[in-house]
Amino acid sequence: MRYQVQEAFFKQLRESCSISRRIKPKAGAMLPTTSPHSNGDPSPRDAARHTAGAKRYKYLRRLLYFRQMDFEFAIWQMLYLFTSPQRVYRNFHYRKQTKDQWARDDPAFLVLLSIWLCVSTIGFGLVLDMGVMETVKLLLWVVFVDCIGVGLLISTVMWFISNKYLLKHPSRNFDVEWGYAFDVHLNAFYPLLVILHFLQLFFINHLVVINSEWFLGYFVGNTLWLIAIGYYLYITFLGYNALPFLTNTVVLLYPFALLGLLYILSISLGWNFTQGLCWFYKYRVK
């Protein structure tokens, strides 16, 4: 109910802003103006508040103040990333209209994602019969390399590609924020994490026993991988497609063809991706 009220508020705010733009101001009305010689550019003080460095500093500073984080809203976003990810990106539009930035200014989503990652990695350690030190080593690998390191790399590559090749009209006034590219990665990474690092745990050594050589095992395991990576590609596409100044974002869906081909080959040749992941995790902590 809280988030429906919040969406209704943003929608009403958006409509009121559009109406105000259509109404001509009366003579002598007190309206905010820019300097007569600024040509509409923001003042140096306003511009400083909206630089990438200032936004990054504000975001990192809020990591130290848990009471200022909206964890309930972050949980709402996590739920809707599975059921209706378009609604999550609609909220990014509202943030741009109210706070003049596309990227999140609240690190609550990142904190909850980190907690999910830690819990699921400990679960992997238990399922694979790892010791305490081996589980700690695996946790460090997964958090700092798989999540943060790979996430920074993917975000930077997507940020470069989108600004280099997908802009409708290249201009300094329209570009993809690096923070937004990182948020898109986090949004897409969360369903993948839940499917491969949480749901899959119940099938590795029980139920259909994914970590085995028989057909049903690698069929179920590889299907989970197909769904997880498919979610990642689709939510990534939605993230960049939501930006009105980008074009040809449909190219981000092309990897689905390669994903489908790889899935068919894996089933035909008996490749077991989950078994490979388990071997890789064990090799890491030796």
Side-chain angles (χ1 to χ4, degrees):
M1 178 64 68
R2 173 184 174 184
Y3 306 114
Q4 293 175 352
V5 173
Q6 187 177 18
E7 283 197 2
F9 168 75
F10 282 123
K11 183 178 181 180
Q12 184 178 7
L13 178 63
R14 182 179 181 181
E15 292 176 352
S16 62
C17 291
S18 62
I19 293 174
S20 63
R21 285 196 296 266
R22 294 196 298 266
I23 299 176
K24 296 181 64 177
K26 297 180 180 180
M30 297 300 293
L31 294 175
T33 60
T34 57
S35 172
H37 303 291
S38 65
N39 295 323
D41 294 333
S43 65
R45 182 177 180 180
D46 292 336
R49 287 203 304 264
H50 293 88
T51 61
K55 295 176 182 177
R56 183 167 56 248
Y57 172 75
K58 180 181 178 181
Y59 183 88
L60 295 175
R61 185 182 61 181
R62 292 190 66 176
L63 280 171
L64 304 176
Y65 301 96
F66 277 75
R67 292 184 179 180
Q68 296 183 8
M69 300 183 196
D70 192 349
F71 289 106
E72 293 183 13
F73 186 60
I75 293 174
W76 174 86
Q77 289 182 313
M78 288 181 168
L79 292 176
Y80 273 99
L81 282 172
F82 277 100
T83 59
S84 181
Q86 295 91 339
R87 296 187 64 177
V88 177
Y89 287 115
R90 194 180 307 155
N91 175 259
F92 281 78
H93 274 276
Y94 299 151
R95 184 181 300 108
K96 176 62 176 178
Q97 294 170 0
T98 58
K99 300 183 179 181
D100 195 28
Q101 70 178 65
W102 289 97
R104 288 188 178 97
D105 61 341
D106 186 352
F109 187 93
L110 177 61
V111 172
L112 291 181
L113 181 65
S114 301
I115 294 174
W116 259 102
L117 189 61
C118 292
V119 172
S120 62
T121 303
I122 293 174
F124 249 103
L126 294 175
V127 169
L128 299 180
D129 295 324
M130 293 183 180
V132 175
M133 292 305 301
E134 291 177 331
T135 303
V136 172
K137 290 170 64 176
L138 178 63
L139 180 62
L140 294 176
W141 269 101
V142 171
V143 171
F144 291 102
V145 178
D146 296 346
C147 182
I148 297 179
V150 175
L152 293 176
L153 177 61
I154 293 177
S155 302
T156 302
V157 170
M158 292 301 300
W159 168 77
F160 174 80
I161 292 175
S162 57
N163 282 315
K164 183 72 174 179
Y165 302 106
L166 300 181
L167 286 179
K168 291 181 180 178
H169 306 289
S171 169
R172 65 183 179 88
N173 297 322
F174 296 98
D175 63 342
V176 178
E177 303 169 9
W178 186 92
Y180 180 79
F182 187 66
D183 281 338
V184 171
H185 166 73
L186 294 182
N187 291 342
F189 182 76
Y190 172 70
L192 183 147
L193 170 68
V194 172
I195 295 172
L196 296 184
H197 252 237
F198 180 71
L199 294 180
Q200 192 170 225
L201 291 178
F202 299 98
F203 295 92
I204 290 181
N205 293 327
H206 304 283
L207 298 179
V208 298
V209 190
I210 293 177
N211 190 18
S212 65
E213 300 292 343
W214 67 320
F215 173 78
L216 185 60
Y218 62 75
F219 173 76
V220 173
N222 291 2
T223 301
L224 289 176
W225 278 82
L226 174 69
I227 296 172
I229 299 177
Y231 253 116
Y232 184 92
L233 295 175
Y234 178 64
I235 294 178
T236 298
F237 160 75
L238 290 179
Y240 291 96
N241 190 59
L243 299 179
F245 48 84
L246 294 185
T247 185
N248 296 327
T249 53
V250 69
V251 299
L252 300 178
L253 294 177
Y254 289 174
F256 267 105
L258 179 61
L259 178 63
L261 177 61
L262 185 61
Y263 173 74
I264 294 174
L265 285 176
S266 67
I267 298 299
S268 302
L269 301 177
W271 298 343
N272 191 326
F273 295 146
T274 302
Q275 192 175 61
L277 179 67
C278 294
W279 287 345
F280 180 62
Y281 277 177
K282 290 180 178 180
Y283 174 78
R284 270 182 163 180
V285 299
K286 286 183 179 180

mmCIF file of all heavy atoms in Angstrom, residues 186-228:
data_model
loop_
_atom_site.group_PDB
_atom_site.id
_atom_site.type_symbol
_atom_site.label_atom_id
_atom_site.label_comp_id
_atom_site.label_asym_id
_atom_site.label_seq_id
_atom_site.Cartn_x
_atom_site.Cartn_y
_atom_site.Cartn_z
ATOM 1 N N LEU A 186 23.079 -4.364 -11.059
ATOM 2 C CA LEU A 186 22.603 -4.897 -9.784
ATOM 3 C C LEU A 186 21.182 -5.428 -9.916
ATOM 4 O O LEU A 186 20.851 -6.493 -9.375
ATOM 5 C CB LEU A 186 22.658 -3.816 -8.702
ATOM 6 C CG LEU A 186 24.047 -3.317 -8.295
ATOM 7 C CD1 LEU A 186 23.918 -2.284 -7.181
ATOM 8 C CD2 LEU A 186 24.946 -4.461 -7.845
ATOM 9 N N ASN A 187 20.330 -4.694 -10.625
ATOM 10 C CA ASN A 187 18.950 -5.156 -10.834
ATOM 11 C C ASN A 187 18.924 -6.498 -11.552
ATOM 12 O O ASN A 187 18.145 -7.393 -11.206
ATOM 13 C CB ASN A 187 18.174 -4.125 -11.653
ATOM 14 C CG ASN A 187 17.917 -2.841 -10.892
ATOM 15 O OD1 ASN A 187 18.011 -2.796 -9.667
ATOM 16 N ND2 ASN A 187 17.586 -1.787 -11.614
ATOM 17 N N ALA A 188 19.752 -6.630 -12.584
ATOM 18 C CA ALA A 188 19.776 -7.869 -13.366
ATOM 19 C C ALA A 188 20.468 -9.000 -12.611
ATOM 20 O O ALA A 188 20.137 -10.174 -12.801
ATOM 21 C CB ALA A 188 20.479 -7.619 -14.701
ATOM 22 N N PHE A 189 21.420 -8.655 -11.757
ATOM 23 C CA PHE A 189 22.182 -9.665 -11.026
ATOM 24 C C PHE A 189 21.358 -10.308 -9.911
ATOM 25 O O PHE A 189 21.569 -11.481 -9.582
ATOM 26 C CB PHE A 189 23.440 -9.027 -10.439
ATOM 27 C CG PHE A 189 24.338 -9.980 -9.705
ATOM 28 C CD1 PHE A 189 25.138 -10.867 -10.394
ATOM 29 C CD2 PHE A 189 24.384 -9.988 -8.316
ATOM 30 C CE1 PHE A 189 25.968 -11.760 -9.718
ATOM 31 C CE2 PHE A 189 25.207 -10.857 -7.636
ATOM 32 C CZ PHE A 189 26.007 -11.747 -8.338
ATOM 33 N N TYR A 190 20.411 -9.561 -9.347
ATOM 34 C CA TYR A 190 19.659 -10.083 -8.208
ATOM 35 C C TYR A 190 18.851 -11.341 -8.547
ATOM 36 O O TYR A 190 18.964 -12.350 -7.840
ATOM 37 C CB TYR A 190 18.755 -8.992 -7.633
ATOM 38 C CG TYR A 190 17.816 -9.516 -6.579
ATOM 39 C CD1 TYR A 190 18.298 -9.924 -5.337
ATOM 40 C CD2 TYR A 190 16.445 -9.633 -6.827
ATOM 41 C CE1 TYR A 190 17.440 -10.438 -4.373
ATOM 42 C CE2 TYR A 190 15.592 -10.137 -5.871
ATOM 43 C CZ TYR A 190 16.091 -10.535 -4.650
ATOM 44 O OH TYR A 190 15.254 -11.056 -3.702
ATOM 45 N N PRO A 191 18.019 -11.355 -9.614
ATOM 46 C CA PRO A 191 17.311 -12.615 -9.935
ATOM 47 C C PRO A 191 18.269 -13.755 -10.251
ATOM 48 O O PRO A 191 18.004 -14.908 -9.880
ATOM 49 C CB PRO A 191 16.469 -12.243 -11.167
ATOM 50 C CG PRO A 191 16.317 -10.768 -11.088
ATOM 51 C CD PRO A 191 17.604 -10.270 -10.516
ATOM 52 N N LEU A 192 19.371 -13.457 -10.938
ATOM 53 C CA LEU A 192 20.361 -14.493 -11.229
ATOM 54 C C LEU A 192 20.914 -15.072 -9.940
ATOM 55 O O LEU A 192 21.101 -16.293 -9.811
ATOM 56 C CB LEU A 192 21.469 -13.898 -12.096
ATOM 57 C CG LEU A 192 22.586 -14.839 -12.573
ATOM 58 C CD1 LEU A 192 23.072 -14.415 -13.961
ATOM 59 C CD2 LEU A 192 23.774 -14.827 -11.628
ATOM 60 N N LEU A 193 21.191 -14.198 -8.963
ATOM 61 C CA LEU A 193 21.711 -14.649 -7.671
ATOM 62 C C LEU A 193 20.712 -15.548 -6.955
ATOM 63 O O LEU A 193 21.079 -16.611 -6.438
ATOM 64 C CB LEU A 193 22.034 -13.423 -6.807
ATOM 65 C CG LEU A 193 22.377 -13.699 -5.340
ATOM 66 C CD1 LEU A 193 23.708 -14.434 -5.236
ATOM 67 C CD2 LEU A 193 22.429 -12.396 -4.544
ATOM 68 N N VAL A 194 19.448 -15.154 -6.932
ATOM 69 C CA VAL A 194 18.431 -15.936 -6.228
ATOM 70 C C VAL A 194 18.259 -17.316 -6.869
ATOM 71 O O VAL A 194 18.150 -18.336 -6.171
ATOM 72 C CB VAL A 194 17.085 -15.171 -6.214
ATOM 73 C CG1 VAL A 194 15.981 -16.056 -5.651
ATOM 74 C CG2 VAL A 194 17.208 -13.899 -5.391
ATOM 75 N N ILE A 195 18.279 -17.360 -8.203
ATOM 76 C CA ILE A 195 18.054 -18.634 -8.898
ATOM 77 C C ILE A 195 19.254 -19.568 -8.769
ATOM 78 O O ILE A 195 19.109 -20.749 -8.437
ATOM 79 C CB ILE A 195 17.720 -18.375 -10.379
ATOM 80 C CG1 ILE A 195 16.390 -17.637 -10.502
ATOM 81 C CG2 ILE A 195 17.663 -19.696 -11.153
ATOM 82 C CD1 ILE A 195 16.072 -17.171 -11.903
ATOM 83 N N LEU A 196 20.455 -19.052 -9.029
ATOM 84 C CA LEU A 196 21.645 -19.911 -9.065
ATOM 85 C C LEU A 196 22.301 -20.106 -7.711
ATOM 86 O O LEU A 196 22.953 -21.127 -7.482
ATOM 87 C CB LEU A 196 22.670 -19.329 -10.050
ATOM 88 C CG LEU A 196 22.242 -19.270 -11.513
ATOM 89 C CD1 LEU A 196 23.389 -18.763 -12.375
ATOM 90 C CD2 LEU A 196 21.779 -20.635 -12.006
ATOM 91 N N HIS A 197 22.150 -19.134 -6.805
ATOM 92 C CA HIS A 197 22.828 -19.228 -5.520
ATOM 93 C C HIS A 197 21.895 -19.576 -4.373
ATOM 94 O O HIS A 197 22.366 -19.766 -3.247
ATOM 95 C CB HIS A 197 23.551 -17.913 -5.215
ATOM 96 C CG HIS A 197 25.030 -18.019 -5.329
ATOM 97 N ND1 HIS A 197 25.899 -17.722 -4.295
ATOM 98 C CD2 HIS A 197 25.807 -18.389 -6.368
ATOM 99 C CE1 HIS A 197 27.144 -17.899 -4.688
ATOM 100 N NE2 HIS A 197 27.120 -18.300 -5.944
ATOM 101 N N PHE A 198 20.592 -19.625 -4.636
ATOM 102 C CA PHE A 198 19.655 -19.958 -3.566
ATOM 103 C C PHE A 198 18.762 -21.134 -3.960
ATOM 104 O O PHE A 198 18.831 -22.203 -3.357
ATOM 105 C CB PHE A 198 18.811 -18.735 -3.194
ATOM 106 C CG PHE A 198 17.833 -19.012 -2.090
ATOM 107 C CD1 PHE A 198 18.273 -19.199 -0.785
ATOM 108 C CD2 PHE A 198 16.471 -19.096 -2.351
ATOM 109 C CE1 PHE A 198 17.377 -19.463 0.242
ATOM 110 C CE2 PHE A 198 15.563 -19.360 -1.332
ATOM 111 C CZ PHE A 198 16.014 -19.539 -0.034
ATOM 112 N N LEU A 199 17.936 -20.956 -4.983
ATOM 113 C CA LEU A 199 17.032 -22.038 -5.383
ATOM 114 C C LEU A 199 17.797 -23.288 -5.793
ATOM 115 O O LEU A 199 17.383 -24.417 -5.483
ATOM 116 C CB LEU A 199 16.134 -21.568 -6.534
ATOM 117 C CG LEU A 199 15.126 -20.460 -6.216
ATOM 118 C CD1 LEU A 199 14.322 -20.107 -7.461
ATOM 119 C CD2 LEU A 199 14.190 -20.874 -5.083
ATOM 120 N N GLN A 200 18.907 -23.100 -6.468
ATOM 121 C CA GLN A 200 19.660 -24.244 -6.971
ATOM 122 C C GLN A 200 20.244 -25.092 -5.838
ATOM 123 O O GLN A 200 20.503 -26.281 -6.018
ATOM 124 C CB GLN A 200 20.783 -23.748 -7.892
ATOM 125 C CG GLN A 200 21.449 -24.840 -8.685
ATOM 126 C CD GLN A 200 22.385 -24.311 -9.753
ATOM 127 O OE1 GLN A 200 22.374 -24.769 -10.877
ATOM 128 N NE2 GLN A 200 23.205 -23.335 -9.395
ATOM 129 N N LEU A 201 20.443 -24.477 -4.662
ATOM 130 C CA LEU A 201 21.020 -25.217 -3.540
ATOM 131 C C LEU A 201 20.173 -26.426 -3.152
ATOM 132 O O LEU A 201 20.703 -27.446 -2.707
ATOM 133 C CB LEU A 201 21.176 -24.289 -2.327
ATOM 134 C CG LEU A 201 22.230 -23.176 -2.437
ATOM 135 C CD1 LEU A 201 22.221 -22.321 -1.177
ATOM 136 C CD2 LEU A 201 23.607 -23.764 -2.667
ATOM 137 N N PHE A 202 18.850 -26.310 -3.308
ATOM 138 C CA PHE A 202 17.958 -27.386 -2.889
ATOM 139 C C PHE A 202 17.973 -28.563 -3.872
ATOM 140 O O PHE A 202 17.409 -29.619 -3.574
ATOM 141 C CB PHE A 202 16.529 -26.851 -2.750
ATOM 142 C CG PHE A 202 16.394 -25.766 -1.718
ATOM 143 C CD1 PHE A 202 16.396 -24.429 -2.094
ATOM 144 C CD2 PHE A 202 16.294 -26.070 -0.367
ATOM 145 C CE1 PHE A 202 16.277 -23.420 -1.149
ATOM 146 C CE2 PHE A 202 16.178 -25.072 0.589
ATOM 147 C CZ PHE A 202 16.167 -23.744 0.198
ATOM 148 N N PHE A 203 18.606 -28.369 -5.030
ATOM 149 C CA PHE A 203 18.613 -29.424 -6.050
ATOM 150 C C PHE A 203 19.992 -30.055 -6.249
ATOM 151 O O PHE A 203 20.105 -31.055 -6.945
ATOM 152 C CB PHE A 203 18.146 -28.850 -7.400
ATOM 153 C CG PHE A 203 16.725 -28.381 -7.401
ATOM 154 C CD1 PHE A 203 16.415 -27.071 -7.100
ATOM 155 C CD2 PHE A 203 15.693 -29.256 -7.698
ATOM 156 C CE1 PHE A 203 15.107 -26.627 -7.111
ATOM 157 C CE2 PHE A 203 14.378 -28.822 -7.710
ATOM 158 C CZ PHE A 203 14.084 -27.505 -7.406
ATOM 159 N N ILE A 204 21.027 -29.463 -5.664
ATOM 160 C CA ILE A 204 22.379 -29.943 -5.954
ATOM 161 C C ILE A 204 22.589 -31.364 -5.444
ATOM 162 O O ILE A 204 23.053 -32.254 -6.172
ATOM 163 C CB ILE A 204 23.423 -28.985 -5.354
ATOM 164 C CG1 ILE A 204 23.408 -27.661 -6.130
ATOM 165 C CG2 ILE A 204 24.825 -29.600 -5.403
ATOM 166 C CD1 ILE A 204 24.409 -26.644 -5.642
ATOM 167 N N ASN A 205 22.259 -31.598 -4.189
ATOM 168 C CA ASN A 205 22.466 -32.933 -3.622
ATOM 169 C C ASN A 205 21.161 -33.624 -3.234
ATOM 170 O O ASN A 205 21.184 -34.730 -2.683
ATOM 171 C CB ASN A 205 23.365 -32.845 -2.384
ATOM 172 C CG ASN A 205 24.773 -32.415 -2.748
ATOM 173 O OD1 ASN A 205 25.272 -32.735 -3.827
ATOM 174 N ND2 ASN A 205 25.419 -31.675 -1.853
ATOM 175 N N HIS A 206 20.032 -32.967 -3.494
ATOM 176 C CA HIS A 206 18.732 -33.539 -3.117
ATOM 177 C C HIS A 206 17.752 -33.377 -4.272
ATOM 178 O O HIS A 206 18.058 -32.775 -5.295
ATOM 179 C CB HIS A 206 18.189 -32.859 -1.854
ATOM 180 C CG HIS A 206 19.135 -32.919 -0.691
ATOM 181 N ND1 HIS A 206 19.312 -34.058 0.073
ATOM 182 C CD2 HIS A 206 19.975 -31.983 -0.174
ATOM 183 C CE1 HIS A 206 20.207 -33.812 1.019
ATOM 184 N NE2 HIS A 206 20.625 -32.562 0.896
ATOM 185 N N LEU A 207 16.571 -33.890 -4.102
ATOM 186 C CA LEU A 207 15.519 -33.841 -5.112
ATOM 187 C C LEU A 207 15.999 -34.475 -6.412
ATOM 188 O O LEU A 207 16.066 -35.689 -6.518
ATOM 189 C CB LEU A 207 15.029 -32.400 -5.314
ATOM 190 C CG LEU A 207 14.402 -31.736 -4.061
ATOM 191 C CD1 LEU A 207 13.974 -30.313 -4.366
ATOM 192 C CD2 LEU A 207 13.227 -32.548 -3.551
ATOM 193 N N VAL A 208 16.389 -33.679 -7.424
ATOM 194 C CA VAL A 208 16.813 -34.273 -8.695
ATOM 195 C C VAL A 208 18.329 -34.449 -8.766
ATOM 196 O O VAL A 208 18.847 -34.976 -9.747
ATOM 197 C CB VAL A 208 16.344 -33.406 -9.877
ATOM 198 C CG1 VAL A 208 14.841 -33.329 -9.923
ATOM 199 C CG2 VAL A 208 16.935 -31.996 -9.796
ATOM 200 N N VAL A 209 19.063 -34.000 -7.769
ATOM 201 C CA VAL A 209 20.521 -34.143 -7.709
ATOM 202 C C VAL A 209 21.164 -33.578 -8.991
ATOM 203 O O VAL A 209 21.592 -34.307 -9.885
ATOM 204 C CB VAL A 209 20.949 -35.622 -7.499
ATOM 205 C CG1 VAL A 209 22.459 -35.673 -7.189
ATOM 206 C CG2 VAL A 209 20.171 -36.254 -6.376
ATOM 207 N N ILE A 210 21.242 -32.258 -9.056
ATOM 208 C CA ILE A 210 21.821 -31.594 -10.223
ATOM 209 C C ILE A 210 23.286 -31.962 -10.400
ATOM 210 O O ILE A 210 23.761 -32.167 -11.520
ATOM 211 C CB ILE A 210 21.677 -30.062 -10.089
ATOM 212 C CG1 ILE A 210 20.196 -29.670 -10.173
ATOM 213 C CG2 ILE A 210 22.459 -29.340 -11.178
ATOM 214 C CD1 ILE A 210 19.945 -28.199 -9.991
ATOM 215 N N ASN A 211 23.990 -32.063 -9.274
ATOM 216 C CA ASN A 211 25.436 -32.311 -9.333
ATOM 217 C C ASN A 211 25.702 -33.791 -9.611
ATOM 218 O O ASN A 211 26.278 -34.519 -8.797
ATOM 219 C CB ASN A 211 26.085 -31.888 -8.021
ATOM 220 C CG ASN A 211 27.597 -31.889 -8.119
ATOM 221 O OD1 ASN A 211 28.154 -31.875 -9.218
ATOM 222 N ND2 ASN A 211 28.264 -31.917 -6.981
ATOM 223 N N SER A 212 25.277 -34.249 -10.787
ATOM 224 C CA SER A 212 25.446 -35.651 -11.160
ATOM 225 C C SER A 212 25.533 -35.758 -12.671
ATOM 226 O O SER A 212 25.395 -34.774 -13.392
ATOM 227 C CB SER A 212 24.280 -36.503 -10.623
ATOM 228 O OG SER A 212 23.067 -36.117 -11.256
ATOM 229 N N GLU A 213 25.766 -36.976 -13.165
ATOM 230 C CA GLU A 213 25.948 -37.187 -14.602
ATOM 231 C C GLU A 213 24.668 -37.598 -15.316
ATOM 232 O O GLU A 213 24.666 -37.704 -16.534
ATOM 233 C CB GLU A 213 27.021 -38.285 -14.820
ATOM 234 C CG GLU A 213 28.391 -37.952 -14.233
ATOM 235 C CD GLU A 213 29.064 -36.803 -14.958
ATOM 236 O OE1 GLU A 213 28.640 -36.477 -16.089
ATOM 237 O OE2 GLU A 213 30.011 -36.227 -14.389
ATOM 238 N N TRP A 214 23.585 -37.851 -14.579
ATOM 239 C CA TRP A 214 22.403 -38.355 -15.243
ATOM 240 C C TRP A 214 21.615 -37.219 -15.894
ATOM 241 O O TRP A 214 21.727 -36.059 -15.522
ATOM 242 C CB TRP A 214 21.550 -39.192 -14.294
ATOM 243 C CG TRP A 214 20.898 -38.453 -13.161
ATOM 244 C CD1 TRP A 214 21.419 -37.466 -12.409
ATOM 245 C CD2 TRP A 214 19.578 -38.702 -12.662
ATOM 246 N NE1 TRP A 214 20.534 -37.058 -11.459
ATOM 247 C CE2 TRP A 214 19.388 -37.795 -11.579
ATOM 248 C CE3 TRP A 214 18.565 -39.591 -12.989
ATOM 249 C CZ2 TRP A 214 18.207 -37.749 -10.845
ATOM 250 C CZ3 TRP A 214 17.383 -39.551 -12.248
ATOM 251 C CH2 TRP A 214 17.214 -38.638 -11.200
ATOM 252 N N PHE A 215 20.768 -37.583 -16.860
ATOM 253 C CA PHE A 215 20.122 -36.600 -17.728
ATOM 254 C C PHE A 215 19.257 -35.600 -16.962
ATOM 255 O O PHE A 215 19.347 -34.389 -17.177
ATOM 256 C CB PHE A 215 19.263 -37.322 -18.779
ATOM 257 C CG PHE A 215 18.426 -36.380 -19.615
ATOM 258 C CD1 PHE A 215 18.993 -35.663 -20.650
ATOM 259 C CD2 PHE A 215 17.069 -36.225 -19.337
ATOM 260 C CE1 PHE A 215 18.227 -34.787 -21.406
ATOM 261 C CE2 PHE A 215 16.299 -35.356 -20.095
ATOM 262 C CZ PHE A 215 16.877 -34.640 -21.125
ATOM 263 N N LEU A 216 18.389 -36.093 -16.066
ATOM 264 C CA LEU A 216 17.480 -35.201 -15.357
ATOM 265 C C LEU A 216 18.251 -34.165 -14.536
ATOM 266 O O LEU A 216 17.829 -33.011 -14.418
ATOM 267 C CB LEU A 216 16.558 -36.005 -14.442
ATOM 268 C CG LEU A 216 15.477 -35.203 -13.714
ATOM 269 C CD1 LEU A 216 14.565 -34.504 -14.717
ATOM 270 C CD2 LEU A 216 14.677 -36.108 -12.779
ATOM 271 N N GLY A 217 19.416 -34.568 -14.003
ATOM 272 C CA GLY A 217 20.221 -33.647 -13.205
ATOM 273 C C GLY A 217 20.704 -32.458 -14.007
ATOM 274 O O GLY A 217 20.462 -31.309 -13.641
ATOM 275 N N TYR A 218 21.399 -32.723 -15.141
ATOM 276 C CA TYR A 218 21.909 -31.579 -15.890
ATOM 277 C C TYR A 218 20.819 -30.883 -16.708
ATOM 278 O O TYR A 218 20.970 -29.714 -17.071
ATOM 279 C CB TYR A 218 23.108 -31.960 -16.764
ATOM 280 C CG TYR A 218 22.893 -32.970 -17.849
ATOM 281 C CD1 TYR A 218 22.236 -32.640 -19.031
ATOM 282 C CD2 TYR A 218 23.393 -34.278 -17.724
ATOM 283 C CE1 TYR A 218 22.065 -33.571 -20.046
ATOM 284 C CE2 TYR A 218 23.221 -35.208 -18.737
ATOM 285 C CZ TYR A 218 22.562 -34.850 -19.894
ATOM 286 O OH TYR A 218 22.391 -35.761 -20.911
ATOM 287 N N PHE A 219 19.697 -31.560 -16.963
ATOM 288 C CA PHE A 219 18.581 -30.883 -17.637
ATOM 289 C C PHE A 219 17.979 -29.812 -16.724
ATOM 290 O O PHE A 219 17.783 -28.656 -17.141
ATOM 291 C CB PHE A 219 17.507 -31.889 -18.044
ATOM 292 C CG PHE A 219 16.265 -31.247 -18.599
ATOM 293 C CD1 PHE A 219 16.245 -30.735 -19.891
ATOM 294 C CD2 PHE A 219 15.118 -31.139 -17.815
ATOM 295 C CE1 PHE A 219 15.100 -30.131 -20.400
ATOM 296 C CE2 PHE A 219 13.975 -30.545 -18.315
ATOM 297 C CZ PHE A 219 13.965 -30.033 -19.608
ATOM 298 N N VAL A 220 17.690 -30.177 -15.473
ATOM 299 C CA VAL A 220 17.138 -29.207 -14.524
ATOM 300 C C VAL A 220 18.154 -28.112 -14.225
ATOM 301 O O VAL A 220 17.825 -26.921 -14.197
ATOM 302 C CB VAL A 220 16.696 -29.913 -13.228
ATOM 303 C CG1 VAL A 220 16.283 -28.890 -12.173
ATOM 304 C CG2 VAL A 220 15.546 -30.869 -13.509
ATOM 305 N N GLY A 221 19.407 -28.510 -14.005
ATOM 306 C CA GLY A 221 20.447 -27.529 -13.689
ATOM 307 C C GLY A 221 20.648 -26.527 -14.819
ATOM 308 O O GLY A 221 20.670 -25.311 -14.596
ATOM 309 N N ASN A 222 20.801 -27.021 -16.045
ATOM 310 C CA ASN A 222 21.027 -26.116 -17.182
ATOM 311 C C ASN A 222 19.803 -25.253 -17.480
ATOM 312 O O ASN A 222 19.935 -24.131 -17.960
ATOM 313 C CB ASN A 222 21.406 -26.925 -18.416
ATOM 314 C CG ASN A 222 22.781 -27.563 -18.289
ATOM 315 O OD1 ASN A 222 23.434 -27.432 -17.254
ATOM 316 N ND2 ASN A 222 23.216 -28.256 -19.316
ATOM 317 N N THR A 223 18.610 -25.778 -17.173
ATOM 318 C CA THR A 223 17.403 -24.974 -17.359
ATOM 319 C C THR A 223 17.370 -23.817 -16.371
ATOM 320 O O THR A 223 16.962 -22.696 -16.720
ATOM 321 C CB THR A 223 16.143 -25.850 -17.192
ATOM 322 O OG1 THR A 223 16.173 -26.910 -18.150
ATOM 323 C CG2 THR A 223 14.883 -25.025 -17.391
ATOM 324 N N LEU A 224 17.812 -24.071 -15.145
ATOM 325 C CA LEU A 224 17.906 -22.980 -14.175
ATOM 326 C C LEU A 224 18.907 -21.922 -14.642
ATOM 327 O O LEU A 224 18.674 -20.713 -14.475
ATOM 328 C CB LEU A 224 18.309 -23.530 -12.802
ATOM 329 C CG LEU A 224 17.252 -24.341 -12.048
ATOM 330 C CD1 LEU A 224 17.838 -24.891 -10.747
ATOM 331 C CD2 LEU A 224 16.028 -23.477 -11.755
ATOM 332 N N TRP A 225 20.015 -22.366 -15.226
ATOM 333 C CA TRP A 225 20.988 -21.415 -15.768
ATOM 334 C C TRP A 225 20.380 -20.617 -16.912
ATOM 335 O O TRP A 225 20.613 -19.410 -17.029
ATOM 336 C CB TRP A 225 22.233 -22.167 -16.257
ATOM 337 C CG TRP A 225 23.199 -22.493 -15.159
ATOM 338 C CD1 TRP A 225 23.129 -23.544 -14.299
ATOM 339 C CD2 TRP A 225 24.367 -21.768 -14.804
ATOM 340 N NE1 TRP A 225 24.192 -23.537 -13.431
ATOM 341 C CE2 TRP A 225 24.972 -22.459 -13.725
ATOM 342 C CE3 TRP A 225 24.972 -20.619 -15.293
ATOM 343 C CZ2 TRP A 225 26.146 -22.011 -13.114
ATOM 344 C CZ3 TRP A 225 26.152 -20.178 -14.693
ATOM 345 C CH2 TRP A 225 26.725 -20.864 -13.618
ATOM 346 N N LEU A 226 19.610 -21.280 -17.763
ATOM 347 C CA LEU A 226 18.957 -20.588 -18.876
ATOM 348 C C LEU A 226 18.016 -19.500 -18.366
ATOM 349 O O LEU A 226 18.035 -18.358 -18.865
ATOM 350 C CB LEU A 226 18.170 -21.596 -19.721
ATOM 351 C CG LEU A 226 17.316 -21.014 -20.851
ATOM 352 C CD1 LEU A 226 18.196 -20.449 -21.953
ATOM 353 C CD2 LEU A 226 16.371 -22.077 -21.413
ATOM 354 N N ILE A 227 17.216 -19.834 -17.359
ATOM 355 C CA ILE A 227 16.268 -18.861 -16.808
ATOM 356 C C ILE A 227 17.012 -17.701 -16.143
ATOM 357 O O ILE A 227 16.657 -16.522 -16.329
ATOM 358 C CB ILE A 227 15.332 -19.552 -15.805
ATOM 359 C CG1 ILE A 227 14.473 -20.598 -16.514
ATOM 360 C CG2 ILE A 227 14.452 -18.530 -15.095
ATOM 361 C CD1 ILE A 227 13.650 -21.454 -15.565
ATOM 362 N N ALA A 228 18.058 -18.021 -15.381
ATOM 363 C CA ALA A 228 18.790 -16.988 -14.648
ATOM 364 C C ALA A 228 19.479 -16.002 -15.599
ATOM 365 O O ALA A 228 19.361 -14.780 -15.443
ATOM 366 C CB ALA A 228 19.817 -17.637 -13.728
#
